[in-house]
Amino acid sequence: MANEDEDYDPMVYDVMCELATHLGGIYISRARAAATPEDEARWRQADRDLMEEVDAVPPMELDAVNSMTTTLRERLKAANESAP
C-alpha cells in the first residue's frame, strides 16, 4: 500500500485503466474483424484475460500500478505496430 506519508495520486490508477480500455478496444475490434471463429474467440479471450489481469491490481499499490501501466504501454505499442 502507498505509504501514509506519501501523497498518492489516484490518477496513476486511472491512467492504467484507460490504457487497458484502449488495448481491450483493439482486441474487440480484432475479434469483430476475425476471419475465423477461432480467431474471434482468441481475441475475445485476450480481452477477458486483460481485464482480469488489470482488475487484480490493487488501486493503492503504487508499484503494482506502475508496473502494470508499463506493461500495458508496451502491449499497446506492439498492438499498434502490428495493426492490420
Side-chain angles (χ1 to χ4, degrees):
M1 182 172 282
N3 291 337
E4 292 179 18
D5 298 31
E6 293 179 35
D7 290 328
Y8 179 78
D9 183 358
M11 291 302 293
V12 296
Y13 185 79
D14 290 343
V15 168
M16 181 194 74
C17 290
E18 287 298 323
L19 288 168
T21 299
H22 189 145
L23 186 57
I26 290 171
Y27 291 168
I28 294 301
S29 176
R30 290 182 181 178
R32 290 179 178 162
T36 67
E38 293 81 14
D39 279 345
E40 179 182 3
R42 180 173 61 89
W43 286 114
R44 290 193 185 279
Q45 186 62 51
D47 180 57
R48 285 190 295 273
D49 293 345
L50 171 66
M51 292 306 142
E52 284 181 18
E53 194 175 358
V54 170
D55 286 344
V57 176
M60 296 301 291
E61 293 287 340
L62 186 57
D63 289 342
V65 172
N66 285 336
S67 177
M68 179 57 73
T69 299
T70 299
T71 297
L72 292 171
R73 282 188 175 131
E74 292 167 357
R75 290 182 191 174
L76 189 56
K77 182 180 177 187
N80 285 329
E81 289 173 352
S82 67

Coordinates of all heavy atoms in Angstrom, one line a residue:
M1 N 0.8 -1.2 0.0 CA 0.0 0.0 0.0 C 0.9 1.2 0.0 O 2.0 1.2 0.5 CB -0.9 0.0 1.2 CG -1.9 1.2 1.3 SD -3.1 1.1 2.5 CE -4.2 -0.1 1.8
A2 N 0.4 2.3 -0.5 CA 1.1 3.6 -0.6 C 1.4 4.0 0.9 O 0.6 3.8 1.8 CB 0.4 4.6 -1.3
N3 N 2.6 4.5 1.1 CA 2.9 5.0 2.4 C 2.0 6.1 2.8 O 1.7 7.0 2.0 CB 4.4 5.5 2.5 CG 5.4 4.4 2.3 OD1 5.1 3.2 2.6 ND2 6.6 4.7 1.9
E4 N 1.6 6.1 4.1 CA 0.7 7.2 4.6 C 1.4 8.5 4.5 O 0.7 9.6 4.4 CB 0.3 6.9 6.0 CG -0.6 5.7 6.1 CD -1.1 5.3 7.5 OE1 -0.9 6.2 8.4 OE2 -1.5 4.2 7.7
D5 N 2.7 8.6 4.5 CA 3.5 9.8 4.5 C 3.5 10.4 3.0 O 3.7 11.6 2.8 CB 4.9 9.7 4.9 CG 5.0 9.2 6.4 OD1 4.0 8.5 6.8 OD2 5.9 9.5 7.0
E6 N 3.3 9.5 2.1 CA 3.3 10.0 0.7 C 2.0 10.4 0.2 O 0.9 10.0 0.6 CB 3.7 8.8 -0.2 CG 5.1 8.3 0.0 CD 5.4 7.1 -0.9 OE1 4.9 7.1 -2.0 OE2 6.2 6.2 -0.5
D7 N 2.0 11.4 -0.7 CA 0.8 11.7 -1.4 C 0.6 10.7 -2.6 O 1.5 10.5 -3.4 CB 0.9 13.2 -2.0 CG 0.9 14.2 -0.9 OD1 0.3 14.0 0.1 OD2 1.6 15.3 -1.1
Y8 N -0.6 10.1 -2.6 CA -0.9 9.2 -3.6 C -1.8 9.8 -4.6 O -2.9 10.3 -4.2 CB -1.5 7.9 -3.0 CG -1.9 6.9 -4.1 CD1 -0.9 6.1 -4.7 CD2 -3.2 6.8 -4.5 CE1 -1.2 5.2 -5.6 CE2 -3.5 5.9 -5.5 CZ -2.5 5.1 -6.1 OH -2.9 4.2 -7.0
D9 N -1.4 9.9 -5.8 CA -2.3 10.5 -6.9 C -3.1 9.4 -7.5 O -2.5 8.5 -8.2 CB -1.4 11.2 -7.9 CG -2.2 11.9 -9.0 OD1 -3.5 11.8 -8.9 OD2 -1.6 12.5 -9.8
P10 N -4.4 9.3 -7.3 CA -5.2 8.3 -7.9 C -5.3 8.3 -9.4 O -5.7 7.3 -10.0 CB -6.6 8.5 -7.3 CG -6.6 9.9 -6.8 CD -5.2 10.3 -6.5
M11 N -4.8 9.4 -10.0 CA -4.8 9.4 -11.4 C -3.9 8.4 -12.0 O -4.1 7.9 -13.2 CB -4.4 10.8 -11.9 CG -5.4 11.9 -11.6 SD -7.0 11.6 -12.3 CE -6.6 11.7 -14.1
V12 N -2.9 7.9 -11.3 CA -2.0 6.9 -11.9 C -2.8 5.6 -12.1 O -2.6 4.9 -13.1 CB -0.7 6.6 -11.0 CG1 0.1 7.8 -10.9 CG2 -1.1 6.1 -9.6
Y13 N -3.7 5.3 -11.2 CA -4.6 4.1 -11.4 C -5.5 4.4 -12.6 O -5.8 3.5 -13.5 CB -5.4 3.8 -10.2 CG -6.2 2.6 -10.3 CD1 -5.6 1.3 -10.1 CD2 -7.6 2.6 -10.5 CE1 -6.4 0.1 -10.2 CE2 -8.3 1.4 -10.6 CZ -7.7 0.2 -10.5 OH -8.5 -0.9 -10.6
D14 N -6.1 5.6 -12.8 CA -6.9 5.9 -13.9 C -6.2 5.8 -15.2 O -6.8 5.3 -16.2 CB -7.5 7.3 -13.7 CG -8.5 7.4 -12.6 OD1 -9.0 6.4 -12.1 OD2 -8.8 8.6 -12.2
V15 N -4.9 6.2 -15.2 CA -4.1 6.1 -16.5 C -4.0 4.6 -16.8 O -4.2 4.2 -18.0 CB -2.8 6.7 -16.3 CG1 -1.8 6.3 -17.4 CG2 -2.9 8.2 -16.2
M16 N -3.7 3.7 -15.9 CA -3.6 2.3 -16.1 C -4.9 1.8 -16.7 O -4.9 1.0 -17.7 CB -3.3 1.6 -14.8 CG -3.1 0.1 -15.0 SD -3.1 -0.8 -13.5 CE -4.8 -0.8 -13.0
C17 N -6.0 2.2 -16.1 CA -7.3 1.7 -16.6 C -7.6 2.2 -18.0 O -8.2 1.4 -18.8 CB -8.4 2.1 -15.6 SG -8.4 1.2 -14.0
E18 N -7.3 3.4 -18.3 CA -7.5 3.9 -19.6 C -6.7 3.2 -20.7 O -7.2 2.9 -21.8 CB -7.3 5.4 -19.7 CG -8.3 6.2 -19.0 CD -9.7 6.1 -19.6 OE1 -9.8 6.0 -20.9 OE2 -10.7 6.1 -18.8
L19 N -5.4 2.9 -20.3 CA -4.6 2.1 -21.2 C -5.2 0.7 -21.5 O -5.3 0.2 -22.6 CB -3.2 1.9 -20.7 CG -2.3 3.2 -20.7 CD1 -1.1 3.0 -19.9 CD2 -2.0 3.5 -22.1
A20 N -5.7 0.1 -20.4 CA -6.4 -1.2 -20.6 C -7.6 -1.1 -21.4 O -7.9 -2.0 -22.3 CB -6.7 -1.8 -19.2
T21 N -8.4 -0.1 -21.3 CA -9.6 0.1 -22.1 C -9.2 0.3 -23.6 O -9.9 -0.3 -24.4 CB -10.4 1.3 -21.6 OG1 -10.8 1.1 -20.2 CG2 -11.6 1.6 -22.5
H22 N -8.2 1.0 -23.8 CA -7.7 1.2 -25.2 C -7.3 -0.1 -25.8 O -7.7 -0.5 -26.9 CB -6.6 2.3 -25.2 CG -6.2 2.7 -26.6 ND1 -5.8 4.0 -26.9 CD2 -6.1 2.0 -27.8 CE1 -5.5 4.1 -28.1 NE2 -5.7 2.9 -28.7
L23 N -6.5 -0.8 -25.1 CA -6.0 -2.1 -25.6 C -7.1 -3.1 -25.7 O -7.2 -3.8 -26.7 CB -4.9 -2.7 -24.6 CG -4.2 -3.9 -25.1 CD1 -3.5 -3.8 -26.4 CD2 -3.2 -4.3 -24.0
G24 N -8.0 -3.1 -24.8 CA -9.2 -4.0 -24.9 C -10.0 -3.7 -26.1 O -10.6 -4.6 -26.8
G25 N -10.1 -2.4 -26.4 CA -10.8 -2.0 -27.7 C -10.2 -2.5 -28.9 O -10.9 -2.9 -29.9
I26 N -8.9 -2.6 -28.9 CA -8.2 -3.1 -30.1 C -8.5 -4.6 -30.2 O -8.7 -5.1 -31.3 CB -6.7 -2.9 -29.9 CG1 -6.3 -1.4 -30.1 CG2 -5.9 -3.7 -30.9 CD1 -4.9 -1.0 -29.8
Y27 N -8.5 -5.3 -29.0 CA -8.7 -6.7 -29.0 C -10.2 -7.0 -29.6 O -10.4 -7.9 -30.4 CB -8.6 -7.3 -27.6 CG -7.2 -7.4 -27.1 CD1 -6.9 -7.7 -25.8 CD2 -6.1 -7.2 -28.0 CE1 -5.6 -7.7 -25.3 CE2 -4.8 -7.2 -27.5 CZ -4.6 -7.5 -26.1 OH -3.3 -7.6 -25.6
I28 N -11.1 -6.2 -29.1 CA -12.5 -6.4 -29.6 C -12.7 -6.1 -31.0 O -13.4 -6.8 -31.8 CB -13.5 -5.6 -28.7 CG1 -13.5 -6.1 -27.3 CG2 -14.9 -5.6 -29.3 CD1 -13.9 -7.6 -27.1
S29 N -12.0 -5.1 -31.5 CA -12.0 -4.7 -32.9 C -11.5 -5.9 -33.7 O -12.0 -6.2 -34.8 CB -11.2 -3.4 -33.1 OG -11.1 -3.1 -34.5
R30 N -10.4 -6.4 -33.3 CA -9.8 -7.6 -34.0 C -10.7 -8.8 -33.9 O -10.8 -9.6 -34.9 CB -8.4 -7.9 -33.5 CG -7.4 -6.8 -33.8 CD -6.0 -7.0 -33.4 NE -5.2 -5.9 -33.8 CZ -3.9 -5.8 -33.5 NH1 -3.3 -6.7 -32.8 NH2 -3.2 -4.7 -33.9
A31 N -11.4 -9.0 -32.8 CA -12.4 -10.1 -32.8 C -13.5 -9.9 -33.8 O -13.8 -10.9 -34.5 CB -12.9 -10.2 -31.3
R32 N -14.0 -8.7 -33.9 CA -15.0 -8.4 -34.9 C -14.6 -8.6 -36.3 O -15.4 -8.9 -37.2 CB -15.6 -7.0 -34.6 CG -16.4 -6.9 -33.4 CD -16.9 -5.5 -33.2 NE -17.7 -5.4 -31.9 CZ -18.0 -4.3 -31.3 NH1 -17.6 -3.2 -31.8 NH2 -18.7 -4.3 -30.2
A33 N -13.3 -8.3 -36.6 CA -12.8 -8.4 -37.9 C -12.2 -9.8 -38.2 O -11.7 -10.0 -39.3 CB -11.7 -7.3 -38.1
A34 N -12.2 -10.7 -37.3 CA -11.6 -12.0 -37.4 C -12.2 -12.8 -38.6 O -13.4 -12.7 -38.8 CB -11.7 -12.8 -36.1
A35 N -11.3 -13.5 -39.3 CA -11.7 -14.3 -40.4 C -12.3 -15.6 -40.1 O -13.0 -16.2 -40.9 CB -10.5 -14.5 -41.4
T36 N -12.0 -16.1 -38.9 CA -12.5 -17.4 -38.4 C -13.1 -17.3 -37.0 O -12.7 -16.4 -36.2 CB -11.3 -18.4 -38.4 OG1 -10.4 -18.1 -37.4 CG2 -10.6 -18.5 -39.8
P37 N -13.9 -18.2 -36.7 CA -14.5 -18.2 -35.3 C -13.4 -18.5 -34.3 O -13.5 -17.9 -33.2 CB -15.5 -19.4 -35.3 CG -15.8 -19.6 -36.8 CD -14.6 -19.2 -37.6
E38 N -12.4 -19.2 -34.6 CA -11.2 -19.4 -33.7 C -10.5 -18.2 -33.4 O -10.1 -17.9 -32.3 CB -10.3 -20.5 -34.3 CG -10.9 -21.9 -34.4 CD -11.8 -22.1 -35.6 OE1 -11.7 -21.3 -36.6 OE2 -12.5 -23.1 -35.6
D39 N -10.2 -17.4 -34.5 CA -9.5 -16.1 -34.2 C -10.4 -15.1 -33.4 O -9.9 -14.4 -32.5 CB -9.2 -15.4 -35.6 CG -7.9 -16.0 -36.2 OD1 -7.1 -16.7 -35.4 OD2 -7.7 -15.7 -37.4
E40 N -11.7 -15.1 -33.7 CA -12.6 -14.3 -32.9 C -12.5 -14.7 -31.4 O -12.4 -13.8 -30.5 CB -14.0 -14.4 -33.4 CG -15.0 -13.5 -32.6 CD -16.4 -13.7 -33.0 OE1 -16.7 -14.4 -34.0 OE2 -17.2 -13.0 -32.4
A41 N -12.6 -16.0 -31.2 CA -12.6 -16.5 -29.8 C -11.3 -16.1 -29.1 O -11.2 -15.8 -27.9 CB -12.8 -18.0 -29.8
R42 N -10.2 -16.2 -29.9 CA -8.9 -15.9 -29.3 C -8.8 -14.4 -28.9 O -8.3 -14.1 -27.8 CB -7.8 -16.2 -30.3 CG -6.4 -15.9 -29.9 CD -5.3 -16.4 -30.9 NE -5.4 -15.8 -32.2 CZ -4.8 -14.6 -32.5 NH1 -4.0 -14.0 -31.6 NH2 -4.9 -14.1 -33.7
W43 N -9.3 -13.5 -29.7 CA -9.2 -12.1 -29.4 C -10.2 -11.8 -28.2 O -9.9 -11.0 -27.4 CB -9.5 -11.2 -30.6 CG -8.4 -11.2 -31.5 CD1 -8.3 -11.7 -32.8 CD2 -7.0 -10.7 -31.3 NE1 -7.1 -11.5 -33.3 CE2 -6.3 -10.9 -32.4 CE3 -6.5 -10.0 -30.2 CZ2 -4.9 -10.5 -32.5 CZ3 -5.1 -9.6 -30.3 CH2 -4.4 -9.9 -31.4
R44 N -11.3 -12.4 -28.2 CA -12.3 -12.2 -27.1 C -11.7 -12.7 -25.8 O -11.8 -12.0 -24.7 CB -13.6 -12.8 -27.4 CG -14.3 -12.0 -28.5 CD -15.8 -12.4 -28.6 NE -16.4 -11.7 -29.8 CZ -16.8 -10.5 -29.8 NH1 -16.7 -9.7 -28.7 NH2 -17.3 -9.9 -30.9
Q45 N -11.0 -13.8 -25.8 CA -10.4 -14.3 -24.6 C -9.2 -13.4 -24.2 O -9.0 -13.2 -23.0 CB -9.9 -15.8 -24.9 CG -9.3 -16.4 -23.6 CD -10.4 -16.6 -22.5 OE1 -11.4 -17.1 -22.8 NE2 -10.1 -16.1 -21.3
A46 N -8.5 -12.9 -25.1 CA -7.4 -12.0 -24.8 C -8.0 -10.7 -24.1 O -7.4 -10.3 -23.1 CB -6.7 -11.5 -26.1
D47 N -9.1 -10.3 -24.5 CA -9.8 -9.1 -23.8 C -10.2 -9.5 -22.4 O -9.9 -8.8 -21.4 CB -11.0 -8.6 -24.6 CG -11.7 -7.5 -23.9 OD1 -11.0 -6.4 -23.7 OD2 -12.9 -7.6 -23.6
R48 N -10.8 -10.7 -22.2 CA -11.2 -11.1 -20.9 C -10.0 -11.3 -20.0 O -10.0 -10.9 -18.8 CB -12.0 -12.4 -21.0 CG -13.4 -12.2 -21.5 CD -14.3 -13.4 -21.3 NE -13.8 -14.5 -22.2 CZ -14.1 -14.8 -23.4 NH1 -15.0 -13.9 -24.0 NH2 -13.7 -15.8 -24.1
D49 N -8.9 -11.9 -20.5 CA -7.7 -12.1 -19.7 C -7.1 -10.7 -19.3 O -6.7 -10.6 -18.2 CB -6.7 -12.9 -20.5 CG -7.1 -14.3 -20.8 OD1 -8.1 -14.8 -20.1 OD2 -6.5 -15.0 -21.6
L50 N -7.1 -9.8 -20.2 CA -6.6 -8.5 -19.9 C -7.4 -7.8 -18.8 O -6.8 -7.3 -17.8 CB -6.7 -7.6 -21.2 CG -6.3 -6.1 -21.0 CD1 -4.9 -5.9 -20.6 CD2 -6.7 -5.3 -22.2
M51 N -8.7 -7.9 -18.8 CA -9.5 -7.2 -17.8 C -9.3 -7.9 -16.5 O -9.2 -7.3 -15.4 CB -11.0 -7.2 -18.2 CG -11.2 -6.3 -19.4 SD -10.6 -4.6 -19.1 CE -10.0 -4.2 -20.7
E52 N -9.2 -9.2 -16.4 CA -8.9 -10.0 -15.2 C -7.5 -9.5 -14.6 O -7.4 -9.3 -13.4 CB -8.9 -11.5 -15.4 CG -10.3 -12.0 -15.6 CD -10.3 -13.5 -15.8 OE1 -9.3 -14.2 -15.5 OE2 -11.3 -14.1 -16.2
E53 N -6.6 -9.4 -15.5 CA -5.2 -9.0 -15.1 C -5.2 -7.6 -14.5 O -4.6 -7.4 -13.4 CB -4.3 -9.1 -16.3 CG -2.8 -9.1 -16.0 CD -2.0 -9.2 -17.3 OE1 -2.5 -9.4 -18.4 OE2 -0.8 -9.2 -17.1
V54 N -5.9 -6.7 -15.1 CA -6.0 -5.3 -14.6 C -6.8 -5.3 -13.3 O -6.4 -4.6 -12.4 CB -6.5 -4.4 -15.7 CG1 -6.9 -3.0 -15.2 CG2 -5.5 -4.3 -16.9
D55 N -7.9 -6.0 -13.3 CA -8.7 -6.0 -12.1 C -8.0 -6.5 -10.8 O -8.3 -6.2 -9.7 CB -10.0 -6.8 -12.3 CG -11.0 -6.1 -13.1 OD1 -10.9 -4.9 -13.4 OD2 -11.9 -6.8 -13.6
A56 N -6.9 -7.3 -11.1 CA -6.2 -7.9 -10.0 C -5.2 -6.9 -9.4 O -4.6 -7.2 -8.3 CB -5.4 -9.2 -10.4
V57 N -5.0 -5.8 -10.0 CA -4.0 -4.8 -9.5 C -4.7 -4.0 -8.4 O -5.7 -3.3 -8.6 CB -3.5 -3.9 -10.6 CG1 -2.6 -2.8 -10.1 CG2 -2.8 -4.7 -11.7
P58 N -4.1 -4.0 -7.2 CA -4.7 -3.2 -6.1 C -4.5 -1.7 -6.4 O -3.4 -1.2 -6.6 CB -3.9 -3.6 -4.9 CG -3.2 -4.8 -5.2 CD -3.0 -4.8 -6.7
P59 N -5.6 -0.9 -6.4 CA -5.5 0.5 -6.8 C -4.5 1.3 -5.9 O -4.0 2.3 -6.4 CB -6.9 1.0 -6.5 CG -7.8 -0.2 -6.6 CD -7.0 -1.3 -6.1
M60 N -4.3 1.0 -4.7 CA -3.4 1.8 -3.8 C -2.0 1.2 -3.8 O -1.2 1.8 -3.0 CB -4.0 1.8 -2.4 CG -5.4 2.6 -2.4 SD -5.3 4.3 -3.0 CE -4.3 5.0 -1.7
E61 N -1.7 0.2 -4.5 CA -0.3 -0.3 -4.6 C 0.4 0.4 -5.8 O 0.4 -0.1 -6.9 CB -0.4 -1.8 -4.8 CG -0.9 -2.6 -3.6 CD 0.0 -2.6 -2.4 OE1 1.2 -2.4 -2.6 OE2 -0.4 -2.8 -1.3
L62 N 1.1 1.4 -5.5 CA 1.7 2.3 -6.5 C 2.7 1.5 -7.4 O 2.7 1.6 -8.6 CB 2.4 3.5 -5.9 CG 3.0 4.5 -6.8 CD1 1.9 5.0 -7.8 CD2 3.7 5.6 -6.1
D63 N 3.5 0.6 -6.8 CA 4.5 -0.2 -7.5 C 3.7 -1.1 -8.5 O 4.1 -1.2 -9.7 CB 5.4 -1.0 -6.6 CG 6.4 -0.1 -5.9 OD1 6.6 1.1 -6.3 OD2 6.9 -0.6 -4.9
A64 N 2.7 -1.7 -8.1 CA 1.9 -2.7 -8.9 C 1.2 -1.9 -10.0 O 1.2 -2.3 -11.2 CB 0.9 -3.4 -8.1
V65 N 0.7 -0.7 -9.7 CA 0.0 0.1 -10.7 C 1.0 0.6 -11.8 O 0.8 0.5 -13.0 CB -0.7 1.3 -10.1 CG1 -1.3 2.2 -11.1 CG2 -1.9 0.8 -9.2
N66 N 2.2 1.0 -11.3 CA 3.2 1.5 -12.2 C 3.7 0.4 -13.1 O 3.9 0.5 -14.3 CB 4.3 2.1 -11.5 CG 4.0 3.5 -11.0 OD1 3.1 4.2 -11.5 ND2 4.7 4.0 -10.0
S67 N 3.9 -0.8 -12.5 CA 4.3 -2.0 -13.3 C 3.3 -2.3 -14.4 O 3.7 -2.6 -15.5 CB 4.6 -3.1 -12.4 OG 5.0 -4.3 -13.1
M68 N 2.1 -2.4 -14.0 CA 1.0 -2.8 -15.0 C 0.9 -1.7 -16.1 O 0.7 -2.0 -17.2 CB -0.3 -3.0 -14.3 CG -1.4 -3.4 -15.3 SD -1.1 -4.8 -16.3 CE -1.3 -6.1 -15.1
T69 N 1.1 -0.4 -15.7 CA 1.0 0.7 -16.6 C 2.1 0.5 -17.7 O 1.9 0.7 -18.9 CB 1.1 2.0 -15.9 OG1 -0.1 2.1 -15.0 CG2 1.1 3.2 -16.9
T70 N 3.3 0.2 -17.2 CA 4.4 0.0 -18.1 C 4.1 -1.2 -19.1 O 4.3 -1.1 -20.3 CB 5.7 -0.3 -17.4 OG1 6.0 0.9 -16.6 CG2 6.9 -0.5 -18.3
T71 N 3.6 -2.3 -18.5 CA 3.3 -3.4 -19.3 C 2.2 -3.1 -20.4 O 2.4 -3.5 -21.5 CB 2.8 -4.6 -18.4 OG1 3.8 -4.9 -17.5 CG2 2.3 -5.8 -19.2
L72 N 1.2 -2.4 -20.0 CA 0.1 -2.0 -20.9 C 0.6 -1.1 -22.0 O 0.2 -1.2 -23.2 CB -1.0 -1.4 -20.2 CG -1.8 -2.3 -19.2 CD1 -2.8 -1.5 -18.4 CD2 -2.5 -3.4 -20.0
R73 N 1.5 -0.2 -21.7 CA 2.1 0.7 -22.7 C 2.8 -0.1 -23.7 O 2.7 0.2 -24.9 CB 3.0 1.8 -22.0 CG 2.2 2.9 -21.4 CD 3.2 4.0 -20.9 NE 2.4 5.1 -20.4 CZ 2.6 5.7 -19.3 NH1 3.6 5.3 -18.5 NH2 1.8 6.7 -18.9
E74 N 3.6 -1.1 -23.3 CA 4.4 -1.9 -24.2 C 3.4 -2.7 -25.1 O 3.7 -2.9 -26.3 CB 5.3 -2.8 -23.4 CG 6.4 -2.1 -22.7 CD 7.2 -2.9 -21.7 OE1 6.8 -4.1 -21.4 OE2 8.2 -2.4 -21.1
R75 N 2.4 -3.3 -24.5 CA 1.4 -4.1 -25.3 C 0.7 -3.2 -26.3 O 0.4 -3.7 -27.4 CB 0.4 -4.8 -24.3 CG 1.0 -5.9 -23.5 CD -0.1 -6.5 -22.7 NE 0.5 -7.4 -21.7 CZ -0.3 -8.0 -20.7 NH1 -1.6 -7.8 -20.7 NH2 0.3 -8.8 -19.9
L76 N 0.3 -2.0 -25.8 CA -0.4 -1.1 -26.7 C 0.5 -0.7 -27.9 O 0.1 -0.7 -29.1 CB -0.9 0.1 -25.9 CG -1.8 1.0 -26.6 CD1 -3.1 0.3 -27.2 CD2 -2.2 2.2 -25.7
K77 N 1.7 -0.4 -27.6 CA 2.7 -0.1 -28.7 C 2.8 -1.3 -29.7 O 2.8 -1.1 -30.9 CB 4.0 0.3 -28.1 CG 5.1 0.6 -29.1 CD 6.4 1.0 -28.5 CE 7.4 1.3 -29.6 NZ 8.8 1.5 -29.0
A78 N 3.0 -2.5 -29.2 CA 3.1 -3.6 -30.0 C 1.8 -3.9 -30.8 O 1.9 -4.2 -32.0 CB 3.4 -4.9 -29.2
A79 N 0.7 -3.7 -30.2 CA -0.6 -3.8 -30.9 C -0.8 -2.8 -32.0 O -1.2 -3.2 -33.1 CB -1.8 -3.7 -29.9
N80 N -0.4 -1.6 -31.8 CA -0.4 -0.6 -32.8 C 0.5 -0.8 -33.9 O 0.2 -0.5 -35.1 CB -0.2 0.8 -32.2 CG -1.4 1.3 -31.4 OD1 -2.6 1.0 -31.7 ND2 -1.1 2.1 -30.4
E81 N 1.7 -1.3 -33.6 CA 2.7 -1.6 -34.6 C 2.3 -2.8 -35.5 O 2.7 -2.9 -36.7 CB 4.0 -1.9 -34.0 CG 4.7 -0.6 -33.4 CD 5.9 -0.9 -32.7 OE1 6.3 -2.1 -32.4 OE2 6.6 0.1 -32.3
S82 N 1.5 -3.7 -35.0 CA 1.1 -4.9 -35.7 C -0.3 -4.7 -36.3 O -1.0 -5.7 -36.7 CB 1.1 -6.1 -34.8 OG 0.1 -6.1 -33.8
A83 N -0.9 -3.5 -36.3 CA -2.2 -3.3 -36.8 C -2.3 -3.7 -38.3 O -1.4 -3.4 -39.1 CB -2.6 -1.8 -36.6
P84 N -3.5 -4.3 -38.6 CA -3.6 -4.7 -40.0 C -3.8 -3.5 -40.9 O -4.1 -2.5 -40.6 CB -4.9 -5.5 -40.0 CG -5.5 -5.4 -38.6 CD -4.5 -4.7 -37.7

